[in-house]
Amino acid sequence: MFALILFGSELDVISLIGIFLLIGIVKKNAILMIDFALQAERLEGKSTEDSIFEACMLRFRPILMTTVAALFGALPLAFGHGVGSELRRPLGIAIVGGLIFSQALTLYTTPIIYLYFDRMSQWFKRRRGHSPDPASNASPA
């Protein structure tokens, strides 16, 4: 939205298509990180902090490659001139501006939200009387 305002474009149906595209890319990026972190927690027994850190480090390149490919694909739409460019220009501006903003937002907020939800689930388990560590619930043999 800020990029559309900055370049003097209106929010129309075509720019909304770009915003929906951005929602899908951001969702995919977050799923990549969270899925990898959950696998590291479950299969390798890592802590939540270690697993999300490793997920961010290992998934950074694929996330960046997807974003840069979409960004370079949208640049001709944003800066193109000629017949019909006034229709395509808001789409390109929405995609380019949104990708730049959403890349930073995804890389910083997804781990924070992941850690917050983990701490919140541990808090609820403690309130209900469950131990957060499944090994501590085992009865002695």
Side-chain angles (χ1 to χ4, degrees), residues 21-94:
L21 174 84
L22 289 171
I23 291 169
I25 290 174
V26 169
K27 179 186 61 79
K28 179 198 67 73
N29 291 343
I31 288 171
L32 274 173
M33 281 195 290
I34 291 171
D35 185 47
F36 194 86
L38 286 173
Q39 284 183 354
E41 277 186 59
R42 292 176 183 156
L43 301 178
E44 299 172 20
K46 293 187 177 189
S47 69
T48 304
E49 291 85 6
D50 291 339
S51 65
I52 195 65
F53 179 76
E54 183 181 359
C56 290
M57 297 302 288
L58 293 176
R59 297 286 107 200
F60 177 71
R61 186 197 282 161
I63 289 170
L64 189 63
M65 288 171 50
T66 302
T67 303
V68 169
L71 183 75
F72 284 145
L75 283 177
L77 294 172
F79 298 116
H81 297 285
V83 178
S85 66
E86 64 275 354
L87 181 67
R88 295 184 300 267
R89 191 163 189 245
L91 174 66
I93 291 171

Side-chain angles (χ1 to χ4, degrees), residues 124-131 137:
F124 280 123
K125 287 178 185 177
R126 282 193 305 270
R127 278 190 59 110
R128 287 187 286 174
H130 293 96
S131 174
N137 287 336

Side-chain angles (χ1 to χ4, degrees), residues 83-106:
V83 178
S85 66
E86 64 275 354
L87 181 67
R88 295 184 300 267
R89 191 163 189 245
L91 174 66
I93 291 171
I95 292 172
V96 170
L99 283 172
I100 292 169
F101 178 73
S102 69
Q103 179 72 17
L105 190 67
T106 301

